[in-house]
mmCIF file of all heavy atoms in Angstrom:
data_model
loop_
_atom_site.group_PDB
_atom_site.id
_atom_site.type_symbol
_atom_site.label_atom_id
_atom_site.label_comp_id
_atom_site.label_asym_id
_atom_site.label_seq_id
_atom_site.Cartn_x
_atom_site.Cartn_y
_atom_site.Cartn_z
ATOM 1 N N VAL A 143 23.426 -2.858 -4.500
ATOM 2 C CA VAL A 143 24.248 -1.949 -5.302
ATOM 3 C C VAL A 143 23.383 -1.165 -6.291
ATOM 4 O O VAL A 143 23.688 -0.006 -6.617
ATOM 5 C CB VAL A 143 25.375 -2.697 -6.049
ATOM 6 C CG1 VAL A 143 26.446 -3.170 -5.091
ATOM 7 C CG2 VAL A 143 24.828 -3.841 -6.890
ATOM 8 N N THR A 144 22.288 -1.775 -6.766
ATOM 9 C CA THR A 144 21.399 -1.040 -7.671
ATOM 10 C C THR A 144 20.656 0.061 -6.928
ATOM 11 O O THR A 144 20.402 1.136 -7.487
ATOM 12 C CB THR A 144 20.388 -1.984 -8.343
ATOM 13 O OG1 THR A 144 19.588 -2.633 -7.361
ATOM 14 C CG2 THR A 144 21.107 -3.037 -9.177
ATOM 15 N N ASN A 145 20.303 -0.192 -5.655
ATOM 16 C CA ASN A 145 19.673 0.858 -4.849
ATOM 17 C C ASN A 145 20.624 2.036 -4.662
ATOM 18 O O ASN A 145 20.223 3.203 -4.792
ATOM 19 C CB ASN A 145 19.268 0.305 -3.483
ATOM 20 C CG ASN A 145 18.121 -0.668 -3.557
ATOM 21 O OD1 ASN A 145 17.196 -0.498 -4.336
ATOM 22 N ND2 ASN A 145 18.169 -1.716 -2.740
ATOM 23 N N ALA A 146 21.879 1.736 -4.357
ATOM 24 C CA ALA A 146 22.859 2.811 -4.152
ATOM 25 C C ALA A 146 23.146 3.541 -5.466
ATOM 26 O O ALA A 146 23.237 4.778 -5.491
ATOM 27 C CB ALA A 146 24.153 2.237 -3.584
ATOM 28 N N TYR A 147 23.261 2.800 -6.556
ATOM 29 C CA TYR A 147 23.573 3.395 -7.861
ATOM 30 C C TYR A 147 22.458 4.340 -8.308
ATOM 31 O O TYR A 147 22.714 5.501 -8.637
ATOM 32 C CB TYR A 147 23.768 2.275 -8.882
ATOM 33 C CG TYR A 147 24.047 2.754 -10.288
ATOM 34 C CD1 TYR A 147 25.304 3.231 -10.634
ATOM 35 C CD2 TYR A 147 23.065 2.729 -11.273
ATOM 36 C CE1 TYR A 147 25.574 3.676 -11.929
ATOM 37 C CE2 TYR A 147 23.325 3.164 -12.561
ATOM 38 C CZ TYR A 147 24.578 3.633 -12.885
ATOM 39 O OH TYR A 147 24.835 4.071 -14.152
ATOM 40 N N SER A 148 21.220 3.846 -8.313
ATOM 41 C CA SER A 148 20.101 4.686 -8.749
ATOM 42 C C SER A 148 19.836 5.819 -7.762
ATOM 43 O O SER A 148 19.473 6.938 -8.160
ATOM 44 C CB SER A 148 18.836 3.840 -8.923
ATOM 45 O OG SER A 148 18.960 2.994 -10.040
ATOM 46 N N GLY A 149 20.017 5.549 -6.464
ATOM 47 C CA GLY A 149 19.867 6.608 -5.467
ATOM 48 C C GLY A 149 20.881 7.714 -5.668
ATOM 49 O O GLY A 149 20.567 8.908 -5.532
ATOM 50 N N GLY A 150 22.111 7.329 -6.028
ATOM 51 C CA GLY A 150 23.154 8.319 -6.285
ATOM 52 C C GLY A 150 22.858 9.169 -7.505
ATOM 53 O O GLY A 150 23.077 10.381 -7.504
ATOM 54 N N LEU A 151 22.332 8.542 -8.567
ATOM 55 C CA LEU A 151 21.963 9.302 -9.774
ATOM 56 C C LEU A 151 20.858 10.311 -9.468
ATOM 57 O O LEU A 151 20.925 11.472 -9.881
ATOM 58 C CB LEU A 151 21.495 8.338 -10.864
ATOM 59 C CG LEU A 151 22.566 7.508 -11.574
ATOM 60 C CD1 LEU A 151 21.903 6.524 -12.527
ATOM 61 C CD2 LEU A 151 23.554 8.389 -12.324
ATOM 62 N N ALA A 152 19.823 9.833 -8.755
ATOM 63 C CA ALA A 152 18.699 10.721 -8.422
ATOM 64 C C ALA A 152 19.161 11.877 -7.534
ATOM 65 O O ALA A 152 18.744 13.028 -7.711
ATOM 66 C CB ALA A 152 17.591 9.926 -7.735
ATOM 67 N N LEU A 153 20.036 11.563 -6.581
ATOM 68 C CA LEU A 153 20.527 12.598 -5.676
ATOM 69 C C LEU A 153 21.403 13.609 -6.412
ATOM 70 O O LEU A 153 21.370 14.808 -6.116
ATOM 71 C CB LEU A 153 21.302 11.944 -4.528
ATOM 72 C CG LEU A 153 21.517 12.784 -3.265
ATOM 73 C CD1 LEU A 153 20.179 13.241 -2.687
ATOM 74 C CD2 LEU A 153 22.284 11.957 -2.224
ATOM 75 N N SER A 154 22.173 13.136 -7.401
ATOM 76 C CA SER A 154 22.988 14.057 -8.203
ATOM 77 C C SER A 154 22.102 15.076 -8.906
ATOM 78 O O SER A 154 22.390 16.283 -8.909
ATOM 79 C CB SER A 154 23.796 13.273 -9.249
ATOM 80 O OG SER A 154 24.855 12.573 -8.655
ATOM 81 N N ASN A 155 21.029 14.596 -9.522
ATOM 82 C CA ASN A 155 20.126 15.505 -10.224
ATOM 83 C C ASN A 155 19.411 16.437 -9.251
ATOM 84 O O ASN A 155 19.242 17.632 -9.519
ATOM 85 C CB ASN A 155 19.104 14.711 -11.033
ATOM 86 C CG ASN A 155 18.327 15.578 -12.002
ATOM 87 O OD1 ASN A 155 18.890 16.432 -12.680
ATOM 88 N ND2 ASN A 155 17.025 15.376 -12.062
ATOM 89 N N LEU A 156 18.998 15.910 -8.101
ATOM 90 C CA LEU A 156 18.300 16.716 -7.102
ATOM 91 C C LEU A 156 19.168 17.867 -6.602
ATOM 92 O O LEU A 156 18.690 18.986 -6.404
ATOM 93 C CB LEU A 156 17.874 15.828 -5.923
ATOM 94 C CG LEU A 156 17.219 16.523 -4.727
ATOM 95 C CD1 LEU A 156 15.911 17.187 -5.145
ATOM 96 C CD2 LEU A 156 16.983 15.523 -3.601
ATOM 97 N N LEU A 157 20.452 17.599 -6.416
ATOM 98 C CA LEU A 157 21.362 18.608 -5.874
ATOM 99 C C LEU A 157 21.953 19.515 -6.953
ATOM 100 O O LEU A 157 22.749 20.406 -6.647
ATOM 101 C CB LEU A 157 22.492 17.921 -5.102
ATOM 102 C CG LEU A 157 22.055 17.118 -3.867
ATOM 103 C CD1 LEU A 157 23.252 16.417 -3.237
ATOM 104 C CD2 LEU A 157 21.372 18.016 -2.842
ATOM 105 N N GLY A 158 21.560 19.278 -8.211
ATOM 106 C CA GLY A 158 22.039 20.132 -9.291
ATOM 107 C C GLY A 158 23.420 19.778 -9.799
ATOM 108 O O GLY A 158 24.060 20.591 -10.482
ATOM 109 N N PHE A 159 23.885 18.549 -9.477
ATOM 110 C CA PHE A 159 25.187 18.101 -9.969
ATOM 111 C C PHE A 159 25.004 17.378 -11.293
ATOM 112 O O PHE A 159 23.895 17.022 -11.679
ATOM 113 C CB PHE A 159 25.851 17.147 -8.970
ATOM 114 C CG PHE A 159 26.133 17.742 -7.621
ATOM 115 C CD1 PHE A 159 26.162 16.934 -6.491
ATOM 116 C CD2 PHE A 159 26.372 19.093 -7.478
ATOM 117 C CE1 PHE A 159 26.419 17.468 -5.236
ATOM 118 C CE2 PHE A 159 26.637 19.644 -6.225
ATOM 119 C CZ PHE A 159 26.659 18.826 -5.107
ATOM 120 N N ASP A 160 26.142 17.109 -11.970
ATOM 121 C CA ASP A 160 26.086 16.199 -13.106
ATOM 122 C C ASP A 160 26.687 14.869 -12.661
ATOM 123 O O ASP A 160 26.990 14.674 -11.481
ATOM 124 C CB ASP A 160 26.806 16.782 -14.335
ATOM 125 C CG ASP A 160 28.288 17.052 -14.064
ATOM 126 O OD1 ASP A 160 28.866 16.447 -13.132
ATOM 127 O OD2 ASP A 160 28.873 17.883 -14.792
ATOM 128 N N GLU A 161 26.867 13.958 -13.617
ATOM 129 C CA GLU A 161 27.298 12.614 -13.224
ATOM 130 C C GLU A 161 28.753 12.560 -12.777
ATOM 131 O O GLU A 161 29.197 11.550 -12.228
ATOM 132 C CB GLU A 161 27.052 11.627 -14.368
ATOM 133 C CG GLU A 161 26.990 10.186 -13.897
ATOM 134 C CD GLU A 161 26.284 9.255 -14.882
ATOM 135 O OE1 GLU A 161 25.747 9.734 -15.890
ATOM 136 O OE2 GLU A 161 26.276 8.050 -14.621
ATOM 137 N N SER A 162 29.503 13.609 -12.978
ATOM 138 C CA SER A 162 30.889 13.632 -12.510
ATOM 139 C C SER A 162 30.964 13.590 -10.983
ATOM 140 O O SER A 162 31.982 13.200 -10.412
ATOM 141 C CB SER A 162 31.611 14.881 -13.032
ATOM 142 O OG SER A 162 31.051 16.063 -12.472
ATOM 143 N N LYS A 163 29.867 13.996 -10.327
ATOM 144 C CA LYS A 163 29.816 13.960 -8.856
ATOM 145 C C LYS A 163 29.114 12.686 -8.353
ATOM 146 O O LYS A 163 28.743 12.606 -7.190
ATOM 147 C CB LYS A 163 29.057 15.182 -8.329
ATOM 148 C CG LYS A 163 29.633 16.512 -8.757
ATOM 149 C CD LYS A 163 30.997 16.738 -8.140
ATOM 150 C CE LYS A 163 31.461 18.186 -8.307
ATOM 151 N NZ LYS A 163 31.581 18.615 -9.700
ATOM 152 N N PHE A 164 28.969 11.718 -9.250
ATOM 153 C CA PHE A 164 28.200 10.517 -8.933
ATOM 154 C C PHE A 164 28.741 9.771 -7.710
ATOM 155 O O PHE A 164 27.978 9.310 -6.860
ATOM 156 C CB PHE A 164 28.193 9.584 -10.154
ATOM 157 C CG PHE A 164 27.717 8.201 -9.861
ATOM 158 C CD1 PHE A 164 26.372 7.945 -9.634
ATOM 159 C CD2 PHE A 164 28.603 7.135 -9.789
ATOM 160 C CE1 PHE A 164 25.923 6.662 -9.356
ATOM 161 C CE2 PHE A 164 28.170 5.866 -9.508
ATOM 162 C CZ PHE A 164 26.823 5.620 -9.295
ATOM 163 N N LYS A 165 30.058 9.646 -7.605
ATOM 164 C CA LYS A 165 30.625 8.909 -6.471
ATOM 165 C C LYS A 165 30.296 9.587 -5.145
ATOM 166 O O LYS A 165 30.062 8.909 -4.137
ATOM 167 C CB LYS A 165 32.136 8.758 -6.637
ATOM 168 C CG LYS A 165 32.537 7.813 -7.755
ATOM 169 C CD LYS A 165 34.036 7.566 -7.766
ATOM 170 C CE LYS A 165 34.402 6.567 -8.856
ATOM 171 N NZ LYS A 165 35.857 6.256 -8.879
ATOM 172 N N ILE A 166 30.285 10.904 -5.140
ATOM 173 C CA ILE A 166 29.957 11.633 -3.915
ATOM 174 C C ILE A 166 28.514 11.394 -3.511
ATOM 175 O O ILE A 166 28.215 11.068 -2.354
ATOM 176 C CB ILE A 166 30.214 13.145 -4.103
ATOM 177 C CG1 ILE A 166 31.702 13.406 -4.362
ATOM 178 C CG2 ILE A 166 29.718 13.930 -2.885
ATOM 179 C CD1 ILE A 166 32.009 14.841 -4.718
ATOM 180 N N THR A 167 27.598 11.539 -4.476
ATOM 181 C CA THR A 167 26.181 11.382 -4.146
ATOM 182 C C THR A 167 25.825 9.927 -3.840
ATOM 183 O O THR A 167 24.957 9.663 -3.004
ATOM 184 C CB THR A 167 25.294 11.912 -5.288
ATOM 185 O OG1 THR A 167 25.667 11.289 -6.522
ATOM 186 C CG2 THR A 167 25.443 13.410 -5.421
ATOM 187 N N THR A 168 26.494 8.984 -4.494
ATOM 188 C CA THR A 168 26.280 7.575 -4.162
ATOM 189 C C THR A 168 26.732 7.303 -2.739
ATOM 190 O O THR A 168 26.070 6.573 -1.987
ATOM 191 C CB THR A 168 27.041 6.664 -5.146
ATOM 192 O OG1 THR A 168 26.540 6.864 -6.458
ATOM 193 C CG2 THR A 168 26.872 5.193 -4.781
ATOM 194 N N GLY A 169 27.865 7.885 -2.371
ATOM 195 C CA GLY A 169 28.354 7.726 -0.999
ATOM 196 C C GLY A 169 27.391 8.311 0.018
ATOM 197 O O GLY A 169 27.149 7.724 1.077
ATOM 198 N N ILE A 170 26.814 9.473 -0.308
ATOM 199 C CA ILE A 170 25.836 10.098 0.599
ATOM 200 C C ILE A 170 24.601 9.217 0.736
ATOM 201 O O ILE A 170 24.121 8.962 1.850
ATOM 202 C CB ILE A 170 25.444 11.499 0.085
ATOM 203 C CG1 ILE A 170 26.640 12.456 0.153
ATOM 204 C CG2 ILE A 170 24.278 12.062 0.893
ATOM 205 C CD1 ILE A 170 26.397 13.797 -0.533
ATOM 206 N N ALA A 171 24.072 8.748 -0.413
ATOM 207 C CA ALA A 171 22.880 7.896 -0.395
ATOM 208 C C ALA A 171 23.128 6.631 0.411
ATOM 209 O O ALA A 171 22.310 6.236 1.252
ATOM 210 C CB ALA A 171 22.462 7.548 -1.827
ATOM 211 N N GLY A 172 24.273 5.997 0.167
ATOM 212 C CA GLY A 172 24.591 4.771 0.886
ATOM 213 C C GLY A 172 24.826 4.999 2.370
ATOM 214 O O GLY A 172 24.425 4.191 3.205
#
């Protein structure tokens, strides 16, 4: 879960999103 959580945060920043899109990017990473 920590891999998915941190991966989602990094992916949010990479794609230019803020943390409001965290669930989407976590889902993509996972």
Side-chain angles (χ1 to χ4, degrees):
V143 289
T144 60
N145 290 322
Y147 178 77
S148 290
L151 286 175
L153 199 57
S154 287
N155 192 43
L156 175 63
L157 297 177
F159 299 152
D160 60 22
E161 201 160 355
S162 66
K163 303 293 192 300
F164 167 73
K165 290 187 177 182
I166 297 173
T167 54
T168 298
I170 293 171

